Each structure stands twice: as C-alpha cells, then as structure tokens.
C-alpha cells in the first residue's frame, strides 16, 4: 500500500469514529507501527486535517476535511442511504465496506441538518431470503472487469455439467439470491451468463481481452434488447 493510500485510509477510519480512538487501535487497523501512525497523523495535521488528541488519549477528526460541502435533497439522501444499506447487506465484504466508507465520507461534509437526516433515515433493508453463496470470487471478478482481463474458470452448470472456459468478463448482476457474471465466452463464441455460486475455480488468464468492456456491454445490450440504465 502506498503512503498516499494509507493516509486516505487513516482519514476514513477517523471519520467513522465519533469519539477518540487510540493510536494503538488505528495502527492495528492500518497494519502499521504506532510510530508510523504518529508520523502519518502529523503529516495530515500539516496538510490541514483537524485531528485532535495526543498519544495515550486517542485521536478524533473534526468534520470538513478534504471534501467540499455537499448539498442533497431529502429524497437524494434517502436514495443514498437505502442504496448503501442494500450494498452493505447483499454483496461481498469488500464492496460492503466500500459502501459504508462512501456514506461516511458524504456524512462528514454535509451540513448538520442534512447529516442528521442521513443518520436517522428510516428506510431499511431486510435480510435476503437465503444466505448468498458464490461471494468468494466477486472481488477478483470486479478487478478483472476494471482491468479488462480474461479469466479462466471451471464452471459447473445447474445440470451438473463441468467445463473449463476462457471468458471476457464485463458486467456483474446482483440479485437477491444470486450473482450473475456476464461475459463473452471464447469456447462458445458468444455472450454467456454464469452464476457465481457455480464457479468452482477462477484464475487470471494473464491477458487483456481485445475489446473495451463498454463495447461488449453495448453489444450484449443490443443482443438482449436491454436498455441502458
């Protein structure tokens, strides 16, 4: 992890705490030494972050650092909260944490009245009917989509037929009971949909696919007659 990323992570961790958090806890969360943490806090303070506290007592970040003030309507705030809560409950741990972090960043720079509206939203997301499976590979799949990289998968269909495929992943669908990977399949020479809970193994094929993912998405939508979202 780069130092810049570590400083951003430190700011985000502090934003999630309303009360002082100890240097030891912060260092553990970042997997760094306490000595390095103190240097990072000093760097952020020099850059204008209002971090208050001292060794032995804990640290707290006053709101308003790094992001300009944001204004949302009540409906927009409810949409943000509801969407973030859905992601937090219906996706893998990595994306769930990202949703919580994004909401914390927004809350940190909202005017007080809007922040209270965000924090007291009564729109709730219930638990899924069944525990989702197939989450293990989701971070790798999203990374491959972002990097436009081929994947080699071993897939077992619902008919219990096993096959090995080289695919070009470009979209990932989230449903209440299943996640579906949309990709171009080299062996079938066409678009295919793969349930992530049916993927037995997944590895990077160490090659970029020849088309841009936006192009694949458009061709797939045209074929399936799906309107852009």
């Amino acid at each position: 992890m780069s130092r810049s990323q570590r400083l951003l992570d430190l700011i985000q961790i502090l934003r999630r705490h309303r009360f002082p958090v100890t240097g030891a806890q912060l260092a553990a969360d970042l997997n760094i030494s306490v000595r390095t943490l103190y240097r990072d806090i000093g760097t952020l303070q020099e850059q204008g972050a209002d971090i208050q506290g001292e060794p032995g007592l804990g640290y707290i970040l006053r709101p308003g650092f790094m992001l300009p003030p944001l204004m949302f309507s009540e409906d927009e705030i409810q949409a943000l909260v509801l969407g973030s809560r859905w992601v937090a409950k219906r996706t893998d741990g990595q994306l769930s944490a990202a949703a919580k972090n994004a909401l914390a960043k927004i809350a940190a720079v909202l005017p007080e009245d809007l922040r209270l509206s965000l924090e007291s939203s009564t729109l709730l997301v219930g638990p899924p009917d069944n525990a989702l499976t197939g989450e293990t590979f989701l971070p790798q799949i999203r990374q491959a989509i972002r990097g436009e990289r081929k994947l080699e998968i071993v897939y077992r269909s619902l008919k219990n037929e096993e096959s090995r495929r080289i695919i070009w992943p470009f979209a990932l669908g989230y449903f209440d009971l299943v996640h579906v990977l949309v990709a171009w399949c080299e062996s079938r020479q066409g678009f295919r949909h793969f349930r992530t809970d049916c993927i037995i193994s997944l590895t990077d094929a160490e090659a970029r696919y020849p088309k841009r993912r936006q192009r694949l998405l458009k061709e797939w939508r045209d074929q399936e007659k799906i309107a852009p979202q």
Side-chain angles (χ1 to χ4, degrees), residues 129-195:
D129 292 337
N130 295 299
L132 283 170
T133 58
E135 295 185 1
T136 304
F137 300 119
L138 294 184
Q140 291 172 264
I141 291 171
R142 291 198 304 273
Q143 185 176 7
I145 292 173
R146 287 194 296 267
E148 299 179 338
R149 298 187 64 82
K150 297 182 181 182
L151 291 174
E152 181 176 352
I153 65 171
V154 176
Y155 189 78
R156 180 179 292 123
S157 72
L158 296 180
K159 296 180 180 180
N160 206 33
E161 298 171 344
E162 190 172 309
S163 61
R164 185 177 297 271
R165 317 281 190 99
I166 299 293
I167 62 173
W168 308 352
F170 62 86
L172 191 57
Y174 289 84
F175 300 89
D176 281 345
L177 301 181
V178 69
H179 302 126
V180 177
L181 171 60
V182 186
W184 174 267
C185 178
E186 290 189 356
S187 61
R188 301 296 190 268
Q189 284 296 293
F191 294 114
R192 292 294 185 271
H193 306 99
F194 302 96
R195 288 176 49 143

Side-chain angles (χ1 to χ4, degrees), residues 39-80:
R39 287 202 301 266
D40 288 351
I41 287 177
T43 297
L44 290 172
Q45 288 172 331
E46 291 173 358
Q47 294 176 358
D50 188 7
I51 300 175
Q52 298 182 3
E54 59 184 278
L57 297 179
Y59 296 90
I60 187 169
L61 174 67
R62 298 303 178 188
F65 178 61
M66 294 181 67
L67 292 177
L70 299 177
M71 293 294 293
F72 294 100
S73 69
E74 290 284 343
D75 285 343
E76 288 170 340
I77 287 176
Q78 289 191 333
L80 287 169

Side-chain angles (χ1 to χ4, degrees), residues 72 75-85 103 106 110 118:
F72 294 100
D75 285 343
E76 288 170 340
I77 287 176
Q78 289 191 333
L80 287 169
V81 172
L82 186 61
S84 296
R85 287 176 176 172
L103 206 58
I106 293 171
L110 283 174
L118 182 148

